[in-house]
Amino acid sequence: MAKKTGGFLPISKEDMVSRGWYYCDFLLVTGDAYVDHPSFGTAVISRVLEDAGYRVAILSQPDFRSEADFAAMGQPRYAVLINSGNIDSMVAHYTASKKRRHDDSYSPGGVGGKRPDRAVTVYAKLARRAFPNTPIYLGGLEASLRRFAHYDYWADHIMPSILQDAGADGLMFGMGEKSVLEIAANLKAGKRGPDVCKQVRGTAYFTKNAQDISFPAVWCPSMEETVEDKIKYAESVKIQYAQQDHITGKAIVQKHGHRLLVQNPPSIPLTTEEMDWVYGLPYERTYHPSYEAVGGVPAIAEVQFSIIHNRGCFGGCNFCSLAFHQGRYISSRSHESVVAEGKRIAQHPDFKGYIHDVGGPTANFRFPACKKQETQGLCQNKRCLFPKACGNLRADHSDYLKLLRQLREIPGVKKVFVRSGLRYDYMMADDNDEFFLELVKYHISGQLKVAPEHMSDHALYYMGKPSFDVYRRFKERYERINAKLGKKQYLVPYLMSSHPGAELSDAVHLAEYLHSIGYMPQQVQDFYPTPGTLSTAMYYSGVDPRTMKPVYVAKTPEEKEMQRALLQWRRPDKRAIVIKALLQAGREDLIGYGKECLIRPRPNEHFAHLHTEKPSKRHGRGRNTQPSRRTDRTTDRRAARTSNRSGGGRRDQKSNQKKKYTKHR
């Protein structure tokens, strides 16, 4: 058994020797820089194994052109564990329009190109070349969401399970603390092949023998069937989603040629005591000091002084992979554990008094949605918040509010922010204003980011989001509470274009609404078909897996650009495509001089059915002629400038605008 010595885990042979190690039990390979913080999966899994007495060495962003970096660390005694990092390597490298990104916030100095495309597969093949007889196990988001035959947006076709392409021995999906410890124990006991995984929840493996399946199982269409038939692919996704509950879920079997891919039921979620243990391990809470010379790792900035208090999300948005990865069941840490972490943060030499976030996948969930989930599992054909809040939902923020109050009382803490993933529909299901009042009073800095995603109920249905009326009422309540407290704070809505089911008319309606409130988002997220989501299955198959009915999908670059451009109709560079979209949608009435019009004609431009109202001399051509809306529109634009939607839009900020916004805040 390894003896814990504190500090960062070894990242080189020299580090191992300095600890008196001449081998490691596990070599953990990651596509991220090595950051020893509980927001990073590599840090959590390595610390969990270390706490169990295993020797773990970290191989971060190895040279992917040869196996030399793998061999340099020496052959591990039990296995090589591989992940691509905190995010999918393809998402890290490409935008939704498949344009190459130039930077990478999870790499030293933010420099891109430090990991390969399809990093898990590349690393696994290099590990096999370096250590032909050593077991290889995959984990993390990239592997988890590719555990079955899946549609790959970048290649634009169905790909087999990542286990097949990588040639690995097994895969851990979801949150892997329990499964990695069981796998480690099985390897230590001398087990090999399917025997390592076949009785371990939260794992997937290949076998040729159906008798290796240790749990009650359902079969989904084979990999070959999903390649040949898009409807079969949608059916397979529906079956896979139906079994992702730790209480009711069965094993899932999918044939790949002559072999059987077996996904065991999901891991049992961590108890509160187990989560306290995981987050109480001796993390350094920063990046490895070897990166200091190149400016560190940018990704640490948002999370170094943030706290994760929960896991899981029962929101169930169709475009989100959380239900397929972490699951919909909520686990949470104790107040004592969270406050203890807050006190450790307050003692950090770089801490300036601000806890940046107290959240998780969804910040304001502290317990399962209803009592039934604790013993009977989650409903398969119902959602807790969609299309409206379930009658059994426990909408109660009192425990979360108590936790925030305790964090505010820690000596040295000036402010505790809540910045990630607030479900406004869950807040609206809670009639008590107490949490809402304190959120606005103490936990927001000028703006609150929420995600209505759209305003067309037609589009929202396919997203799995509640009616836009819920957001409208939330906005009114937010403004009322701000007024009551004498504050001027703004909502920054995240919006998405081109989601399956969203038609051009839906985008026009959204543009009309945004125009009516004097707000144009600086950034818009175009739908990104990533593996493991119901929305991606819609995009590829053209049917909704929930109902197996056809769904409209905007796929051509022009269709997608039209929907996106309509949400930023004021941008001069979008003018031509916005006009084309309006004409195609039969909405020439929105081109003219009326206050409801999106586009003002230029000299020598001729459109049918123009409004006859002339532009105001005071405001000039092309501007809203309602003076009373200028203030609202300006402040909304200011608030939107800090919205940073991953993969969407661009920032065009002038220095004088930055100064005004800073002064305003």
Side-chain angles (χ1 to χ4, degrees):
M1 289 291 185
K3 184 179 179 180
K4 290 180 285 186
T5 60
F8 290 91
L9 295 174
I11 64 169
S12 67
K13 191 70 173 180
E14 292 74 19
D15 283 354
M16 291 168 60
V17 172
S18 71
R19 288 189 169 213
W21 297 5
Y22 296 95
Y23 66 88
C24 63
D25 294 317
F26 293 96
L27 179 64
L28 203 165
V29 184
T30 179
D32 284 346
Y34 175 30
V35 181
D36 191 34
H37 187 283
S39 291
F40 289 72
T42 293
V44 171
I45 295 301
S46 62
R47 291 297 185 186
V48 164
L49 286 168
E50 180 196 40
D51 190 69
Y54 296 101
R55 295 179 176 182
V56 184
I58 307 294
L59 180 56
S60 169
Q61 298 187 323
D63 182 354
F64 51 86
R65 293 163 294 188
S66 81
E67 67 273 23
D69 283 355
F70 290 78
M73 297 286 281
Q75 182 175 346
R77 181 159 64 159
Y78 296 134
V80 179
L81 308 177
I82 295 174
N83 68 62
S84 72
N86 265 20
I87 59 175
D88 188 288
S89 61
M90 299 302 284
V91 175
H93 289 167
Y94 299 96
T95 68
S97 57
K98 300 184 183 180
K99 294 179 181 178
R100 186 81 181 188
R101 302 188 199 272
H102 299 294
D103 54 5
D104 184 345
S105 62
Y106 289 90
S107 291
V111 177
K114 297 290 186 181
R115 76 183 98 204
D117 286 356
R118 310 188 191 283
V120 167
T121 301
V122 173
Y123 292 155
K125 291 179 177 179
L126 290 171
R128 185 65 76 200
R129 283 162 55 181
F131 313 119
N133 300 315
T134 301
I136 297 170
Y137 292 90
L138 314 179
L141 191 69
E142 181 167 312
S144 181
L145 301 184
R146 289 171 166 79
R147 57 191 186 265
F148 293 101
H150 58 279
Y151 171 68
D152 186 274
Y153 172 64
W154 305 274
D156 195 24
H157 62 71
I158 297 294
M159 296 184 72
S161 166
I162 195 172
L163 268 173
Q164 178 165 301
D165 280 347
D169 295 85
L171 178 153
M172 291 166 277
F173 66 90
M175 311 308 287
E177 294 94 348
K178 288 185 175 181
S179 53
V180 77
L181 289 177
E182 288 189 60
I183 284 176
N186 288 342
L187 290 168
K188 185 178 178 182
K191 293 183 179 181
R192 291 293 183 269
D195 288 345
V196 176
C197 290
K198 69 181 186 180
Q199 293 184 325
V200 180
R201 283 175 166 267
T203 66
Y205 60 96
F206 272 117
T207 182
K208 293 181 179 179
N209 189 350
Q211 293 184 359
D212 283 331
I213 303 170
S214 300
F215 296 89
V218 297
W219 293 62
C220 73
S222 69
M223 190 271 288
E224 291 76 15
E225 287 178 301
T226 63
V227 169
E228 295 296 326
D229 188 339
K230 291 184 176 181
I231 303 303
K232 288 290 186 183
Y233 177 72
E235 289 176 0
S236 74
V237 171
K238 182 177 183 178
I239 292 169
Q240 290 157 21
Y241 261 78
Q243 303 303 325
Q244 299 309 315
D245 181 68
H246 68 281
I247 294 178
T248 62
K250 295 181 172 67
I252 305 171
V253 184
Q254 184 179 55
K255 289 186 67 177
H256 279 56
H258 299 296
R259 296 195 299 168
L260 304 177
L261 172 71
V262 182
Q263 181 218 266
N264 287 334
S267 290
I268 305 297
L270 298 183
T271 64
T272 294
E273 293 74 21
E274 289 168 335
M275 282 192 72
D276 289 354
W277 159 65
V278 167
Y279 287 93
L281 294 172
Y283 304 98
E284 295 293 315
R285 300 194 67 85
T286 189
Y287 51 77
H288 194 275
S290 62
Y291 307 134
E292 198 66 55
V294 293
V297 180
I300 193 64
E302 281 297 310
V303 300
Q304 185 172 21
F305 302 125
S306 296
I307 300 174
I308 297 170
H309 74 89
N310 66 5
R311 285 184 179 177
C313 178
F314 54 73
C317 299
N318 293 334
F319 50 81
C320 177
S321 61
L322 271 167
F324 201 57
H325 182 60
Q326 285 196 17
R328 294 192 290 140
Y329 188 85
I330 305 301
S331 303
S332 58
R333 297 165 61 186
S334 69
H335 288 205
E336 293 76 14
S337 171
V338 174
V339 171
E341 184 173 353
K343 290 178 178 178
R344 290 194 296 272
I345 287 174
Q347 298 302 312
H348 195 283
D350 295 331
F351 183 65
K352 306 299 183 185
Y354 302 97
I355 293 178
H356 295 159
D357 194 18
V358 183
T362 297
N364 51 328
F365 292 170
R366 280 288 295 167
F367 39 74
C370 68
K371 284 289 186 182
K372 168 182 170 292
Q373 292 180 356
E374 298 176 11
T375 56
Q376 300 177 47
L378 291 101
C379 301
Q380 283 195 12
N381 300 314
K382 291 176 65 178
R383 294 292 180 265
C384 305
L385 291 165
F386 173 82
K388 61 181 181 180
C390 175
N392 294 324
L393 181 72
R394 293 184 294 173
D396 182 356
H397 289 83
S398 59
D399 188 67
Y400 186 42
L401 179 57
K402 181 180 178 181
L403 177 61
L404 293 174
R405 287 170 175 168
Q406 290 175 310
L407 290 169
R408 295 203 307 258
E409 296 300 315
I410 295 174
V413 171
K414 300 176 184 176
K415 189 90 171 180
V416 177
F417 292 111
V418 177
R419 300 171 64 183
S420 65
L422 274 169
R423 285 293 299 223
Y424 65 86
D425 46 353
Y426 184 68
M427 290 177 64
M428 290 304 292
D430 184 356
D431 294 330
N432 191 329
D433 267 353
E434 191 174 19
F435 170 71
F436 214 145
L437 280 163
E438 293 201 21
L439 174 74
V440 170
K441 187 174 183 179
Y442 297 114
H443 303 291
I444 297 173
S445 179
Q447 62 181 20
L448 176 63
K449 299 176 184 178
V450 290
E453 305 295 356
H454 218 285
M455 61 76 60
S456 163
D457 283 356
H458 175 257
L460 291 168
Y461 167 78
Y462 291 100
M463 293 179 173
K465 298 285 287 186
S467 168
F468 186 72
D469 183 61
V470 179
Y471 174 75
R472 194 191 309 274
R473 289 187 288 109
F474 172 80
K475 184 174 182 291
E476 292 170 355
R477 189 175 175 189
Y478 178 75
E479 290 169 348
R480 184 173 67 252
I481 289 175
N482 269 280
K484 180 177 180 179
L485 297 174
K487 288 181 174 287
K488 240 183 179 179
Q489 301 184 116
Y490 307 96
L491 280 179
V492 178
Y494 286 148
L495 300 169
M496 183 184 297
S497 62
S498 305
H499 186 278
E503 301 179 12
L504 191 59
S505 59
D506 297 311
V508 173
H509 289 318
L510 178 53
E512 288 184 280
Y513 169 75
L514 295 174
H515 178 67
S516 73
I517 64 171
Y519 173 72
M520 187 191 78
Q522 288 290 97
Q523 296 183 328
V524 176
Q525 174 66 60
D526 197 17
F527 170 67
Y528 203 159
T530 54
T533 73
L534 289 170
S535 298
T536 296
M538 294 182 204
Y539 176 87
Y540 172 69
S541 68
V543 300
D544 184 343
R546 298 172 299 176
T547 62
M548 300 306 295
K549 293 181 179 179
V551 58
Y552 170 80
V553 180
K555 279 195 174 181
T556 68
E558 184 177 60
E559 285 180 287
K560 292 168 73 69
E561 178 59 20
M562 281 190 202
Q563 290 201 30
R564 184 187 179 100
L566 279 164
L567 307 191
Q568 298 179 308
W569 71 95
R570 288 198 196 111
R571 282 177 48 170
D573 60 317
K574 302 291 186 184
R575 178 182 171 83
I577 190 73
V578 169
I579 290 174
K580 186 171 184 177
L582 292 174
L583 295 176
Q584 185 168 312
R587 296 302 306 272
E588 296 94 336
D589 58 302
L590 297 179
I591 306 171
Y593 301 117
K595 65 180 181 181
E596 74 280 5
C597 292
L598 302 180
I599 295 292
R600 302 292 188 259
R602 291 172 177 168
N604 303 319
E605 284 184 328
H606 302 284
F607 303 102
H609 312 302
L610 287 184
H611 284 231
T612 57
E613 182 183 343
K614 297 300 180 183
S616 165
K617 291 183 180 179
R618 177 179 176 184
H619 299 301
R621 185 178 68 250
R623 296 190 179 182
N624 194 324
T625 58
Q626 298 294 310
S628 63
R629 289 193 179 151
R630 285 176 58 83
T631 301
D632 290 342
R633 189 168 68 249
T634 302
T635 52
D636 277 334
R637 281 201 301 265
R638 286 175 177 166
R641 286 184 192 120
T642 61
S643 176
N644 186 11
R645 188 77 161 149
S646 176
R650 67 179 189 182
R651 291 175 177 268
D652 293 323
Q653 299 181 5
K654 297 179 181 179
S655 59
N656 65 328
Q657 291 173 328
K658 288 181 180 178
K659 291 174 182 175
K660 288 179 182 178
Y661 178 59
T662 303
K663 182 178 179 182
H664 173 72
R665 289 182 65 190

